[in-house]
Amino acid sequence: MSDSQQLDADRIRTLLESEGDEIKENTRLFNTERYDAVKAVGEGAHEDNRSQARAIKEDAIERLPELINRTREAVEANGGTVYVADDAEDANRYIAEVADNVDADSVVKSKSMTTEEMDLNEALEADGLDVWETDLGEFVIQVAEEVPSHIVGPSLHKSREEITKLFEEEFDPDEPLDSAEKLTAFAREYLGECIDDAEVGVTGANFVIAESGSIALVTNEGNARKCASIPDTHVAVAGIEKIIPSIAELEPFAELISRSATGQDIPQYLSLLTPPVDTPAIGFDGRDEPHFGNGDADRDFHLVLLDNGRREMREDDDLRETLYCIRCGACANSCSNFQSVGGHAFGGETYTGGIATGWEAGIESNDVAAEFNDLCTGCSRCVNACPVKIDIPGINTVVRDRINRGKDPGFDDVLVDGLVPDEEEPGTPLRKRFFGNFETVARIGSATAPLSNAVASTGLARKAMESVLGIDARRDLPEFRRTTLREWAASREPRVADPERRVALYPDVYTNYVRAERGKAAVRVLEALDCEVVVPDVGGSGRAPLSQGMIATAEKKAETVAASLLTYVEDGYDVVAVEPSDLAMFRREYEKLLPEAAYERLDGNSYEVLEYAYGLLENGADSDVLPAGDGDGVAYHSHCQQRTLGLEGYTEAVLERLGYDVLTSDVECCGMAGSFGYKSEYYDLSIDVGETLADQFEEAAAERTVIASGTSCMEQLDSLLSPGTRHPVELLDPERR
Amino acid sequence: MSTGSVEQFQQSLSRLDTASTAVVPDELASTVADLIEPPAVGAELPFDGLSLADAPVTLDPSPSRLREAVTGVSGSRMGIASLGTVAVESRAEGDEFVALYPERHVVVVRASDLRTDLSDAFGWLRAEFEADRQSFILATGPSSTGDMGALVQGVHGPEEVHVIIVRDNE
Ligand code: SF4
């Protein structure tokens, strides 16, 4: 491990211990509640909202300059002011001036990530103002002098006990604050006075409505309502990307935002404000005067629209969709790594979770994004969770590619053939090259097996791998097979005389060189179901290089693989894949790597092996040719990317049809995620994530066969439970009889 | 625009721990009086023929009266049956303060103003925006937070909401 890897490892271990429990409990709860809420409203309705929301954002960002002008016109016509700030400093200076103009002593704020991005509090405090965060989560963070660990729940890494201790030390209250109720009552009282006393209220804006010059605020506590209505001066701060055309376009977002964030159908308070509002200005000087003090003050409204890198993001084809983000936090909640370690590791200067890479790369720099970008393993569980359909793993990959190039300008991700560790430049790019070119490693390893396995497993070799490549010595290495799946298949005679269908079984790198038995099982199962099966001579799909951010290499591989597989498709073959991460390349990632026509053709003609078996059985194939389950129990972990494609149900259905009793895990990812779990600095995190899965299966494993669709999942389960995890297709293998 | 049902609205409210009472117009004054825990403040109702003038609430209160109040009474010109949502409008009568400061918020909504669902409510909102009435809080249940380690109701807004649904005279 290099020094910086050691530092990362230590930091992650510390956070797992200090914050992991709270983070896991809270994010997993949000995540479950989101699933439940989507189910309750209906997947179809939810999908409709997502599509609409996506289209509205695409259009709004496209028309942004025009919408900024319309917003300005509308707000000014209402009597307010719009200030478009180039950067954080510009925005802070403007807000300080506003405060100065009304001789403010104190400012109250409701939750706003954009003001966090600007470090507004620090700027105003430097000007001598008192600044109070009134969202209780933000208040906790302010008192603790920490930074938010989650976009939606800034303090969700803190337990109630920790908050009690913090508040009792800070405020020395007369009564102990030993319950959530007492803490809340105390904060309400304390902040209520701050709000009444403040001259300026700062809010964010979840949406800005151009046509009417309105803002929409989503809150549960009611503090944003107070900050917007009690002080005479209201400053709303929003990134320029928050503008939508009119009230009509708000509807799908009103449906989506709380459901995605916390599983609520609608927030407690959805404020639609078109300031200056008609609510009378409250005059505390005339405390006993009727009509709210008979104050003669006029309401004053300022909308600050922040650029801070956003216009450049808009021009950037790869980062643009980051601007569609509505900051719901679902990508963090659905992320296994985030659930374990939280935003203090998985986050940058301001933003946290998967989408933070896009934000931080856009508003800060690639260097800031580089500090946490590798925590995205590309498992893709956030993809379906995101209410505006952002390809979050895609953004992470692109930024990783940029970081690679930035770190090592000579970094050339075109396939490195030799793979001789370059001792002159031990660094991240070398390790990325190693994992990115795993296919070459596997090819050589297999050709020289079992010697290669024996050598690789020696203590000396493992030490060298750990120090040069940062491959953790506690992990078992894959054992290469001398006879590959392709060689085995080539030596077989065709078995099915009059086939129902013809299948090109894709020999992914793992199935070909390491887990050949599941490939053989797949061949026999498909043959038993009356398919002619060929195993084409085709290489890696590009998954390995893509996961390392080596996009050019991945693109090359994609072109080669698609060219080869599509000739089979032309000849009437269906493409069937055993490894879900490779199938996900064909069906998802290739969209960005291949010309549209090639992508669509392959996407439309490729199947996961159990999905395919399901189709055959549904269409009349005889299930009696496969061994029966006889009520045996299986504990099944579907693969993350397979679930994103919506395919886990096929495996369950086939197994149930054969008579198995299926228990399915509900963890998002096994934590191994290809190369991730091998990397020394992430070993502890990978194990922590894996244990959530292992815990679910621990008891069941005594009576049930543990099965998993992905190679990584099998490796993780083997190491955390006991060796012997199988691929579901192995249970279907006629040779098992 | 279709009208949501009182029954569904009440069911939604009960899921939100929000009590509700359906009354005919003549019963409004006494129902308000029953539901008030004094001292109470109010914002005059935005409905023809329904008023808080005789109710035991202070309209147009002073700031100290507002801060002391335990109950705030205001009207809502729209309710969403599927969600139990009401609309607090930013009006010169001070609805926003009355609905925000006191621990208990009593809201009056007319049965004929109920919309079936959010989509229907947006139809209403669009029409209101067209008519230049453009500031509303869609409020659903009491204010709440999970930020102090457990779910607590009653943060910066009311801890308790009671909805009075006024049916048309038969
Ligand atoms: S990227 Fe999508 S899921 Fe993540 S915070 Fe933004 S809107 Fe929510």
Side-chain angles (χ1 to χ4, degrees), chain A residues 151 260 321-322 324-332 334 352 354-356 359 382 385-390 392:
Chain A
I151 300 183
S260 303
E321 63 177 334
T322 305
Y324 308 159
C325 171
I326 59 171
R327 316 244 174 107
C328 71
C331 53
S334 58
T352 49
I355 196 59
W359 281 119
C382 52
C386 177
V388 280
K389 301 191 181 181
I390 299 175
I392 300 154

Side-chain angles (χ1 to χ4, degrees), chain A residues 134-137 155 160 163 180 184 188 191 196 212 214 220-223 225-226 229-230 247-248 250-251 254-255 265-274 277-280 282-284 286-293 299, chain B residues 60-67 80 83 85 88 90-94 96-103 118-119 122 125-126 129 134-145 147-152 154-158:
Chain A
T134 62
D135 170 87
L136 298 202
S155 65
R160 203 274 299 153
I163 304 172
T184 303
R188 173 195 170 109
L191 293 170
D196 285 354
S212 51
S214 317
N220 288 329
E221 296 181 356
N223 58 314
R225 291 173 65 184
K226 285 195 160 175
S229 64
I230 296 173
I247 181 77
L250 185 64
E251 187 179 333
E255 289 277 1
D265 287 329
I266 188 168
Q268 243 73 30
Y269 303 122
L270 174 59
S271 304
L272 302 172
L273 299 175
T274 308
V277 293
D278 290 341
T279 302
I282 201 164
F284 286 108
R287 44 191 332 275
D288 296 316
E289 298 283 317
H291 199 65
F292 306 97
R299 287 192 171 274
Chain B
D60 266 340
S62 66
S64 16
R65 193 81 190 153
L66 179 67
R67 275 172 158 170
I80 308 177
L83 295 167
T85 304
V88 177
S90 303
R91 299 161 70 224
E93 287 78 356
E96 174 66 332
F97 295 144
V98 165
L100 199 49
Y101 272 91
E103 289 145 51
L118 189 61
S119 159
F122 261 88
L125 272 174
R126 285 195 300 270
F129 267 63
Q134 302 177 325
S135 294
F136 299 92
I137 318 291
L138 300 188
T140 308
S143 73
S144 77
T145 186
D147 287 344
M148 292 302 184
L151 195 69
V152 179
V155 199
H156 297 284

Side-chain angles (χ1 to χ4, degrees), chain B:
Chain B
M1 247 182 263
S2 48
T3 311
S5 83
V6 172
E7 290 66 33
Q8 196 194 2
F9 188 49
Q10 289 194 288
Q11 273 167 20
S12 301
L13 288 168
S14 71
R15 279 200 304 274
L16 301 164
D17 285 335
T18 298
S20 62
T21 318
V23 301
V24 292
D26 297 346
E27 295 166 339
L28 179 64
S30 62
T31 311
V32 169
D34 283 350
L35 291 174
I36 279 173
E37 170 139 2
V41 293
E44 184 53 287
L45 301 178
F47 312 120
D48 287 343
L50 295 176
S51 168
L52 294 177
D54 300 328
V57 301
T58 309
L59 300 176
D60 266 340
S62 66
S64 16
R65 193 81 190 153
L66 179 67
R67 275 172 158 170
E68 287 155 13
V70 178
T71 308
V73 186
S74 70
S76 165
R77 291 195 294 110
M78 194 271 298
I80 308 177
S82 66
L83 295 167
T85 304
V86 297
V88 177
E89 189 169 354
S90 303
R91 299 161 70 224
E93 287 78 356
D95 296 50
E96 174 66 332
F97 295 144
V98 165
L100 199 49
Y101 272 91
E103 289 145 51
R104 179 183 297 186
H105 181 206
V106 177
V107 201
V108 182
V109 60
R110 294 185 302 194
S112 54
D113 288 336
L114 295 182
R115 307 289 143 200
T116 48
D117 54 17
L118 189 61
S119 159
D120 220 5
F122 261 88
W124 178 85
L125 272 174
R126 285 195 300 270
E128 290 292 312
F129 267 63
E130 290 271 303
D132 232 16
R133 290 184 295 268
Q134 302 177 325
S135 294
F136 299 92
I137 318 291
L138 300 188
T140 308
S143 73
S144 77
T145 186
D147 287 344
M148 292 302 184
L151 195 69
V152 179
Q153 293 185 333
V155 199
H156 297 284
E159 185 177 339
E160 212 187 312
V161 178
H162 197 117
V163 180
I164 303 175
I165 306 152
V166 185
R167 298 183 192 270
D168 290 342
N169 265 329
E170 306 284 288

